[in-house]
Amino acid sequence: MNAASPASPLLEVRGLRMHFPVSEGLLGRKVGDVKAVDGIDFTVRRGETLGLVGESGCGKTTTGRCVLRLEKPTAGQIIFDGVDIASLGGKQLQALRQRIQVIFQDPYSSLNPRMTIGQIIAEPMFVHGIEPNATKRMERVHELLTICGLNAGFADRYPHEMSGGQRQRVGIARALAMNPEFIVCDEPVSALDVSIQAQVVNLLEDLREKFGLTYLFIAHDLSVVRHLCQRVAVMYLGHIVEMADSDTLFDNPQHPYTRALLAAVPVPDPDVEQGREFRPVKGEVPSPMNPPSGCVFHPRCPMAVDRCSKEAPQPREIAPGHMVACSEVKITG
Amino acid sequence: MPALLEIQNLHTEFRTGAGTIHAVDGITYSVNAGETVAIVGESGSGKSVGALSILRLIPDPPGRITQGTVLFGGRDLMTLTEEQMRQVRGSEIGMVFQEPMTSLNPVLTIGRQITETLEQHRGVDRATAQKRAVELVGLVGIADPIRRLKQYPHQLSGGMRQRIMIAIALACDPKLIIADEPTTALDVTIQAQILELMKDLTHRLGIALIIITHNLGVVARYANRVNVMYAGRIVESGPARAIYHTPRHPYTIALLRSVPRLDRPRQARLDPVEGQPPDLTRLDAGCSFRPRCRFAIAACAASRPRLEATSNPGQSAACFRADELASLTGTNEAALAGAPA
Ligand SMILES: Nc1ncnc2c1ncn2[C@@H]1O[C@H](COP(=O)(O)OP(=O)(O)OP(=O)(O)O)[C@@H](O)[C@H]1O
Ligand SMILES: Nc1ncnc2c1ncn2[C@@H]1O[C@H](COP(=O)(O)OP(=O)(O)O)[C@@H](O)[C@H]1O
Ligand code: SF4
Ligand code: SF4
Ligand SMILES: [Mg+2]
Ligand SMILES: [Mg+2]
């Protein structure tokens, strides 16, 4: 996969910031900001899957929620199919909601326990007036269940009667009901058993091909991300620190944080692991309310030099399509 | 030398509205002094109930240990009084759970929780306990121990809380630590820190470790031996290398095939374990993996296979076709490369 291929972007995010005010005391006096997302740029081309990885609290979900416009960003542009949606409201936002859907991590809490599976999938079609005819709506529900690998008979069942993997398929069917172009997948397999994850990963791949979907795939399991994504962005404390096509990112990672992240993943093979010496990166992710000065990774970085605590490194393209935000990394191509 | 821990035919059941669940349905395994044994299996397969049963921590009702012996250092834990059992739990077997927040007391300082354990189980005075607590917190890699001991659990990060749990587990020099998904709730860099710490400490202090996890990479890196559980039973057991390279149970084979690997070229398509996890209230008399098994034959419906030695030394499997599978799948290398089933 050539990262510089000219496929047109469906989504372009420019300078996205999402700061949440933090208040304290009875009067709710503002004491600071959580800089959940602090100025990020990325594009997702039509038909591709962009992976977004990083440790918890680094801003992945917040980025996804901004793209879904469940949050109004503090600053920046979110250009979807040529239109900046960062500050859209009202009717225009409603129309947009149909085209961008979401699949959540937790297949347990994201389905209403009092509704049947059929009602859960049909509801958004009704609300958005996609299929006003009730009989046709049910036909569509059965079709969607079948597409997602479930028996049409599941339409009459309730969420608690299904396994985690089956519920996640329902969540996917519900997202597909809107005929979306773009789906934000927020940790869609993390809550599933290892034995079920591969089923859902394959389903997501099949659907992308079949319906020409574009995904923003948020996950912390790097081996799943490598399998599913054409390009990957690594986030740390509200910043994208490295972004490249999947092969480059996994075979030739350049940012010290990406390297630390990859080194921390043990491989399911005792022979490989027994021979592998590694020192886990030290320390923990600092609070996004009080991010470190300069490069936000510097307190944990094994390569840090003096200036890292003073100057924030700017994202640079070190080779075509390979972006790294570290001042110590050399330009290679 | 006899094993440190020897579990024989342990059964634990739960009475629920939907019927009786045999959460642990006759498990037998042993742990030698100083070794690390991993328990893997999908959620609901009985890993936690099995571990809690060793410590007799099953809520009754609805749960009950109905059968089995657990020999620890020569004594059958199942026959001890509750008072003797409390002593075993705090001082001979340490515990580390997935969510440290629920196992730590939110209204006591970290320091008090450690010194309390020491005073109760070791009968030492406050000052000695305090000194030892500072040592322990330093041992688990927490900087500035004196300040940390004055803090409450909610003031610490998840990784830090798990370090405290390890410190408490170590407080009374146990011979065995049982860790149930100790890093599942943590980020991968913190997971690596905690696992390396546990490995280092158990090796240095000669402590045996039972680690429950669903992460096959973690098992490969840290375990000497592995027990694979499915629907309340151990379906395969053996040295880690054998389990990964010459698996003999179809569930183990399928599980290893289903995970994408960072050290291998990207596959065109993943090869999932087909079907759904078993519903423990609806098991029949046959092999519980049968509905998902690519190798099932008529005999598999008639009765449940028992865990028996395979032709590989030290490796057991509960499958009627275990030895045949060696020739059907070849090595795991071939299986992972997608050899026809
Ligand atoms: N208090 C309880 N009441 C009823 N059933 C229970 C109870 N505790 C556990 N079970 C059942 O016992 C079985 C085994 O549970 P256990 O928690 O050991 O599984 P596990 O393999 O550790 O799962 P996980 O990976 O999700 O923690 C499951 O079917 C579970 O629903
Ligand atoms: N509504 C909110 N108010 C305050 N802080 C928030 C809010 N939503 C997210 N945050 C904070 O923003 C940071 C990034 O969160 P999130 O994007 O959810 O992380 P993750 O990468 O785990 O999905 C975290 O520190 C989180 O606590
Ligand atoms: S800029 Fe400095 S501290 Fe930041 S990642 Fe690069 S070397 Fe490390
Ligand atoms: S006993 Fe039969 S069904 Fe069970 S794992 Fe073996 S081959 Fe499969
Ligand atoms: Mg999240
Ligand atoms: Mg468990």
Side-chain angles (χ1 to χ4, degrees), chain A residues 208-271:
Chain A
R208 181 182 65 202
E209 270 172 37
K210 191 163 176 174
F211 299 110
L213 296 170
T214 304
Y215 294 144
L216 179 63
F217 188 82
I218 299 171
H220 63 256
D221 184 331
L222 295 168
S223 53
V224 168
V225 167
R226 169 168 171 255
H227 179 82
L228 204 62
C229 302
Q230 283 77 49
R231 285 192 309 131
V232 180
V234 181
M235 280 188 84
Y236 188 80
L237 220 52
H239 299 266
I240 291 179
V241 297
E242 183 161 11
M243 183 159 54
D245 66 87
S246 204
D247 290 344
T248 306
L249 193 102
F250 286 99
D251 298 342
N252 186 24
Q254 289 300 315
H255 195 282
Y257 178 64
T258 311
R259 292 184 173 184
L261 211 52
L262 285 171
V265 182
V267 163
D269 185 335
D271 288 351

Side-chain angles (χ1 to χ4, degrees), chain A residues 42-97:
Chain A
F42 63 89
T43 59
V44 192
R45 305 187 186 103
R46 231 173 261 277
E48 92 172 340
T49 301
L50 174 73
L52 201 53
V53 302
E55 293 177 279
S56 68
C58 71
K60 307 179 297 295
T61 298
T62 304
T63 302
R65 288 176 59 84
C66 287
V67 170
L68 287 158
R69 275 305 316 277
L70 296 171
E71 304 287 355
K72 190 167 184 305
T74 309
Q77 294 174 299
I78 302 170
I79 301 162
F80 182 77
D81 199 12
V83 179
D84 186 359
I85 64 171
S87 48
L88 281 191
K91 272 217 170 62
Q92 287 166 302
L93 193 55
Q94 279 307 314
L96 173 92
R97 289 247 153 86

Side-chain angles (χ1 to χ4, degrees), chain B:
Chain B
M1 202 174 75
L4 175 67
L5 178 76
E6 232 172 291
I7 299 166
Q8 281 156 9
N9 197 28
L10 187 65
H11 288 257
T12 304
E13 54 183 49
F14 289 98
R15 305 262 158 87
T16 71
T20 299
I21 289 174
H22 298 278
V24 169
D25 195 17
I27 60 173
T28 296
Y29 70 93
S30 60
V31 179
N32 295 319
E35 80 171 337
T36 295
V37 173
I39 316 277
V40 288
E42 48 203 0
S43 112
S45 61
K47 307 180 299 294
S48 303
V49 172
L52 292 172
S53 300
I54 297 173
L55 298 159
R56 296 198 2 217
L57 285 173
I58 300 295
D60 177 3
R64 213 154 59 89
I65 300 171
T66 56
Q67 209 182 317
T69 54
V70 176
L71 295 175
F72 179 69
R75 283 180 305 173
D76 182 2
L77 299 185
M78 296 298 125
T79 63
L80 299 188
T81 63
E82 186 46 41
E83 180 47 39
Q84 291 171 313
M85 204 54 219
R86 251 197 299 277
Q87 202 55 35
V88 170
R89 273 179 217 132
S91 63
E92 295 173 52
I93 304 181
M95 300 166 274
V96 179
F97 295 111
Q98 173 170 353
E99 213 346 291
M101 203 52 199
T102 53
S103 11
L104 289 169
N105 186 336
V107 298
L108 288 185
T109 63
I110 298 300
R112 189 62 200 123
Q113 304 195 46
I114 302 177
T115 52
E116 202 168 58
T117 307
L118 287 163
E119 286 166 32
Q120 266 174 21
H121 293 287
R122 282 287 136 119
V124 297
D125 60 46
R126 251 238 159 108
T128 313
Q130 179 67 25
K131 217 173 124 237
R132 176 91 177 111
V134 174
E135 273 170 30
L136 283 165
V137 172
L139 192 64
V140 296
I142 291 180
D144 201 357
I146 294 172
R147 184 173 64 93
R148 290 297 182 187
L149 287 174
K150 293 187 189 128
Q151 292 187 317
Y152 291 89
H154 74 266
Q155 293 172 294
L156 304 181
S157 67
M160 208 78 92
R161 285 198 287 263
Q162 206 54 295
R163 288 177 195 268
I164 296 295
M165 285 307 297
I166 295 169
I168 293 175
L170 290 173
C172 300
D173 303 315
K175 298 199 175 56
L176 172 69
I177 291 180
I178 301 179
D180 187 356
E181 308 263 9
T183 59
T184 303
L186 303 176
D187 278 314
V188 0
T189 63
I190 309 299
Q191 162 174 300
Q193 293 172 358
I194 298 288
L195 290 171
E196 290 295 313
L197 173 73
M198 288 181 56
K199 174 181 163 187
D200 178 51
L201 290 172
T202 51
H203 283 201
R204 228 163 30 155
L205 306 172
I207 301 170
L209 178 66
I210 297 178
I211 182 165
I212 297 174
T213 175
H214 57 257
N215 186 322
L216 295 169
V218 168
V219 177
R221 182 163 180 85
Y222 299 99
N224 304 111
R225 287 194 297 136
V226 183
N227 293 316
V228 182
M229 285 193 75
Y230 193 82
R233 298 194 166 195
I234 294 176
V235 295
E236 182 153 17
S237 166
R241 283 201 74 221
I243 297 288
Y244 280 82
H245 295 292
T246 53
R248 287 294 176 80
H249 192 283
Y251 174 62
T252 316
I253 294 171
L255 200 60
L256 288 168
R257 276 167 86 144
S258 74
V259 290
R261 287 176 55 160
L262 284 180
D263 66 327
R264 294 255 163 103
R266 188 186 170 282
Q267 297 154 266
R269 203 174 159 74
L270 296 184
D271 187 5
V273 185
E274 299 298 344
Q276 301 300 324
D279 177 347
L280 293 189
T281 61
R282 293 183 193 178
L283 293 183
D284 62 13
C287 172
S288 48
F289 188 58
R290 190 174 81 260
R292 306 172 75 181
C293 183
R294 301 180 193 193
F295 302 97
I297 50 175
C300 306
S303 65
R304 231 171 262 181
R306 293 150 53 119
L307 186 66
E308 280 165 357
T310 66
S311 56
N312 265 351
Q315 190 176 357
S316 315
C319 170
F320 295 123
R321 309 189 68 189
D323 278 327
E324 244 180 290
L325 282 177
S327 51
L328 283 175
T329 58
T331 63
N332 187 38
E333 297 301 306
L336 282 163

Side-chain angles (χ1 to χ4, degrees), chain A residues 15-317:
Chain A
L16 181 67
R17 265 174 230 282
M18 186 72 232
H19 294 185
F20 296 102
V22 180
S23 42
E24 214 179 64
L26 282 176
L27 300 173
R29 193 171 51 91
K30 188 177 159 197
V31 292
D33 280 312
V34 172
K35 294 174 180 151
V37 175
D38 205 18
I40 63 170
D41 304 276
F42 63 89
T43 59
V44 192
R45 305 187 186 103
R46 231 173 261 277
E48 92 172 340
T49 301
L50 174 73
L52 201 53
V53 302
E55 293 177 279
S56 68
C58 71
K60 307 179 297 295
T61 298
T62 304
T63 302
R65 288 176 59 84
C66 287
V67 170
L68 287 158
R69 275 305 316 277
L70 296 171
E71 304 287 355
K72 190 167 184 305
T74 309
Q77 294 174 299
I78 302 170
I79 301 162
F80 182 77
D81 199 12
V83 179
D84 186 359
I85 64 171
S87 48
L88 281 191
K91 272 217 170 62
Q92 287 166 302
L93 193 55
Q94 279 307 314
L96 173 92
R97 289 247 153 86
Q98 217 169 292
R99 299 174 67 191
I100 308 182
Q101 289 292 308
V102 62
I103 300 167
F104 293 105
Q105 164 172 4
D106 187 353
Y108 299 90
S109 63
S110 60
L111 304 178
N112 183 336
R114 279 176 292 279
M115 286 165 77
T116 64
I117 299 304
Q119 288 166 339
I120 288 171
I121 299 172
E123 188 188 57
M125 287 193 259
F126 176 70
V127 171
H128 288 268
I130 290 187
E131 185 48 79
N133 179 302
T135 316
K136 287 212 178 117
R137 216 158 46 227
M138 261 314 140
E139 279 171 18
R140 177 84 175 124
V141 166
H142 291 162
E143 186 194 359
L144 287 164
L145 284 172
T146 312
I147 288 171
C148 292
L150 291 171
N151 191 304
F154 274 114
D156 301 321
R157 299 221 207 158
Y158 287 88
H160 74 265
E161 298 173 77
M162 308 178 84
S163 70
Q166 289 169 332
R167 281 185 244 211
Q168 198 53 292
R169 289 175 191 268
V170 172
I172 296 171
R174 178 178 56 183
L176 288 179
M178 308 300 290
N179 298 315
E181 290 153 67
F182 189 95
I183 302 183
V184 175
C185 308
D186 192 353
E187 306 264 10
V189 299
S190 309
L192 303 178
D193 263 312
V194 180
S195 81
I196 301 301
Q197 288 189 3
Q199 292 182 4
V200 174
V201 166
N202 281 351
L203 174 64
L204 288 171
E205 263 186 320
D206 292 345
L207 295 174
R208 181 182 65 202
E209 270 172 37
K210 191 163 176 174
F211 299 110
L213 296 170
T214 304
Y215 294 144
L216 179 63
F217 188 82
I218 299 171
H220 63 256
D221 184 331
L222 295 168
S223 53
V224 168
V225 167
R226 169 168 171 255
H227 179 82
L228 204 62
C229 302
Q230 283 77 49
R231 285 192 309 131
V232 180
V234 181
M235 280 188 84
Y236 188 80
L237 220 52
H239 299 266
I240 291 179
V241 297
E242 183 161 11
M243 183 159 54
D245 66 87
S246 204
D247 290 344
T248 306
L249 193 102
F250 286 99
D251 298 342
N252 186 24
Q254 289 300 315
H255 195 282
Y257 178 64
T258 311
R259 292 184 173 184
L261 211 52
L262 285 171
V265 182
V267 163
D269 185 335
D271 288 351
V272 175
E273 283 304 326
Q274 244 89 88
R276 194 166 72 100
E277 268 305 316
F278 88 104
R279 305 204 145 275
V281 61
K282 60 187 183 203
E284 304 195 354
V285 183
S287 156
M289 230 184 109
N290 249 321
S293 62
C295 173
V296 287
F297 188 55
H298 88 259
R300 303 176 77 191
C301 183
M303 274 171 58
V305 294
D306 270 355
R307 69 165 165 171
C308 297
S309 60
K310 296 176 195 102
E311 290 167 38
Q314 293 309 306
R316 290 175 302 147
E317 202 171 22

